[in-house]
Amino acid sequence: MIGLRADAVVTWHDGVLTIAHGFGAQAARGLTPRIAALLGELPGALVHEDDLAERLLARGGSSEEVALLYLVLDRLHQVLVHTVEPLVRVTPIARDATFRLPKLAPDDTVRLSRFALVRRSDDGLILESPLSRHRVTLTEEAMPLIAALARGVLVKEAPEALAHLVAAGLAGDDLVEDEHPALRAWEFHDLLFHSRSRVGRHDQPVGATFRFRDETPPEPALKPLPEGPVTALFRPSLDEPSPAFTTVLEGRRSVRSYASALTADQLGELLYRTARVRAVFAPTEGAPYETSSRPYPGGGACHELELYLTVRECEGLAGGVYYYDPLGHRLVGLEARAEDQRAMLAVASMSTGYTAQPDVLITVTSRFQRMSWKYAGLAYAASLKNVGVLYQTFYLVATAMGLSPCGLGAGDAELAARTFGLDWATESSVGEFLIGGTPGL
């Protein structure tokens, strides 16, 4: 059975049939008004092609019009919904979606793509993959077949359903991903994240949709301060001369050994120059949420990133765990278990291949709702870009100050949430950075 996406809009003007949908439009010429009227009934409907032909004949269509109908349906295959009742419904979700039923031998074995996933949606269970330009809606009757596809299913066991899954790019008898050098290098979660946080391979909203605007208020620009003792930090003069930018840029490198310990004044200067809040702005019509200005840029001026410090050694500052208050430019001491503090530093050391014994670990967290309240599709991707921007800011300022910077590529989000007293889903670690004193040899 075939149909059109429920959101498709079919128009007929000056002999041109246009089918518009969320990710583009397709046009067909040379049709008759009767064929155009039939196609206009397809959005949200499902019908056998032969039944469409019968309707056309019943409305006075000729045999030539029936042949033309079959021809146009073949040419419109990339925008048609295809179903195998009562198992699967295949819906195109990208501009370049193509759907051609393959010729499979009865004894061919079809396997599910390793990039395929099943998840719940408003329409029920759906099967999708970052390699596919289609989404497959599943019924409960289809689940045994999907489960069996993990090991492989003979085509003769479910020829029509398997042909549709292969045509949708979700399964195959000879999967290209098994041999393609680039696809073999991709991990499942990385490819899914890449494809879904950019446009082109899906039909979901992406960008500043403000999807929660009418449901929940936006998160404030500044999170409430945790309770704990407060330590004021040194504020440097911004008028003092600094090294030439090229000198700093060319001198930037990761340093994992220290000739001397970091001082509290140096730590204060680093945080002041990199992460303080310079100003907070009230909501506006274009940005209906609080925004802030900081030394590093942030998508939508959301500045969702927060900083926590785990200190082993810093001259003038007691060892412990701290939250950095970017507006007050001060540290708030947190109650953390000694074993968690040691574990944070141990994980950071492990991330350097045990080449560093961290003095000060800066953990970067993200208040995810600051981004997702505004952005759809790309909220987490944008937050990671912001982490990269902050890393480079740390690197350049630390280099200019003669300190030892080192960005890390991994961390323990569960451990960080426990150490800092955070809810993992609300605010979680997304980056780690080491700061030491004078670089060692």
Side-chain angles (χ1 to χ4, degrees):
M1 298 180 74
I2 61 170
L4 285 171
R5 291 170 53 106
D7 61 353
V9 177
V10 181
T11 56
W12 167 256
H13 182 68
D14 290 339
V16 178
L17 178 85
T18 301
I19 301 175
H21 39 78
F23 47 86
Q26 186 167 3
R29 301 174 184 274
L31 307 183
T32 66
R34 275 189 287 260
I35 293 177
L38 269 180
L39 296 177
E41 299 170 5
L42 289 184
L46 290 172
V47 62
H48 286 288
E49 293 183 28
D50 292 344
D51 289 341
L52 275 180
E54 299 253 348
R55 289 186 198 177
L56 183 58
L57 290 173
R59 296 177 186 182
S62 64
S63 58
E64 290 80 6
E65 281 184 287
V66 171
L68 183 58
L69 171 65
Y70 282 114
L71 178 62
V72 73
L73 288 176
D74 182 68
R75 292 181 177 178
L76 293 176
H77 65 91
Q78 65 265 50
V79 297
L80 291 175
V81 174
H82 298 77
T83 71
V84 178
E85 299 297 333
L87 299 177
V88 298
R89 176 182 300 184
V90 182
T91 303
I93 59 173
R95 286 189 300 273
D96 55 351
T98 58
F99 188 89
R100 295 287 186 189
L101 290 175
K103 295 181 179 179
L104 299 172
D107 290 327
D108 285 345
T109 298
V110 172
R111 292 182 297 118
L112 195 66
S113 167
R114 73 178 178 91
F115 292 107
L117 73 148
V118 177
R119 66 178 179 88
R120 180 179 65 84
S121 74
D122 292 339
D123 297 325
L125 286 178
I126 61 173
L127 175 70
E128 58 186 350
S129 163
L131 295 183
S132 175
R133 273 80 163 181
H134 294 83
R135 177 174 55 247
V136 175
T137 305
L138 303 170
T139 62
E140 292 183 15
E141 292 92 335
M143 294 313 296
L145 175 63
I146 299 303
L149 281 171
R151 54 172 173 78
V153 176
L154 292 176
V155 169
K156 60 186 176 185
E157 296 183 21
E160 193 175 4
L162 292 177
H164 277 66
L165 293 176
V166 173
L170 288 157
D173 60 335
D174 184 21
L175 293 168
V176 65
E177 65 204 45
D178 293 337
E179 301 297 333
H180 194 291
L183 291 177
R184 289 183 63 194
W186 278 100
E187 292 190 74
F188 162 78
H189 60 283
D190 286 333
L191 191 60
L192 177 65
F193 174 58
H194 175 59
S195 67
R196 289 300 186 261
S197 58
R198 306 184 70 81
V199 299
R201 284 179 173 263
H202 63 91
D203 60 352
Q204 300 303 301
V206 173
T209 62
F210 297 100
R211 57 199 177 111
F212 295 110
R213 186 171 187 170
D214 297 327
E215 298 180 24
T216 59
E219 290 286 307
L222 303 172
K223 67 173 291 184
L225 292 179
E227 294 184 1
V230 172
T231 301
L233 290 171
F234 171 70
R235 294 173 179 259
S237 169
L238 300 181
D239 296 327
E240 296 177 357
S242 58
F245 180 71
T246 300
T247 301
V248 173
L249 194 61
E250 293 299 314
R252 183 218 56 79
R253 62 190 179 95
S254 293
V255 182
R256 300 177 180 85
S257 60
Y258 321 126
S260 64
L262 187 73
T263 70
D265 281 358
Q266 288 172 326
L267 180 60
E269 180 173 350
L270 175 77
L271 294 174
Y272 189 83
R273 292 185 183 277
T274 58
R276 79 185 189 281
V277 170
R278 297 187 291 208
V280 178
F281 304 101
T284 64
E285 183 175 348
Y289 53 94
E290 286 184 338
T291 57
S292 66
S293 170
R294 309 192 189 198
Y296 66 94
C302 292
H303 284 110
E304 76 290 357
L305 302 181
E306 303 286 348
L307 303 183
Y308 295 82
L309 280 65
T310 305
V311 177
R312 184 183 70 86
E313 184 176 1
C314 181
E315 186 179 319
L317 180 65
V321 175
Y322 300 88
Y323 166 73
Y324 174 60
D325 170 14
L327 183 63
H329 185 58
R330 54 188 180 170
L331 298 178
V332 180
L334 303 178
E335 292 186 1
R337 299 190 309 171
E339 54 266 38
D340 286 340
Q341 179 183 341
R342 291 193 297 269
M344 290 290 294
L345 296 172
V347 170
S349 178
M350 182 176 64
S351 296
T352 69
Y354 299 104
T355 60
Q357 177 65 33
D359 280 352
V360 176
L361 167 65
I362 301 176
T363 300
V364 183
T365 67
S366 176
R367 289 192 289 143
F368 303 118
Q369 286 178 279
R370 277 287 290 173
M371 299 295 283
S372 61
W373 189 87
K374 176 178 181 179
Y375 294 112
L378 53 74
Y380 187 70
S383 197
L384 294 186
K385 292 181 176 71
N386 292 339
V387 174
V389 168
L390 182 56
Y391 269 32
Q392 180 70 335
T393 306
F394 280 149
Y395 264 116
L396 296 180
V397 172
T399 300
M401 292 176 60
L403 302 178
S404 301
C406 181
L408 304 181
D412 188 330
E414 186 68 27
L415 172 62
R418 184 172 69 244
T419 303
F420 307 137
L422 305 174
D423 173 56
W424 183 86
T426 303
E427 180 183 343
S428 188
S429 61
V430 289
E432 291 79 21
F433 203 95
L434 300 183
I435 290 292
T438 306
L441 297 178

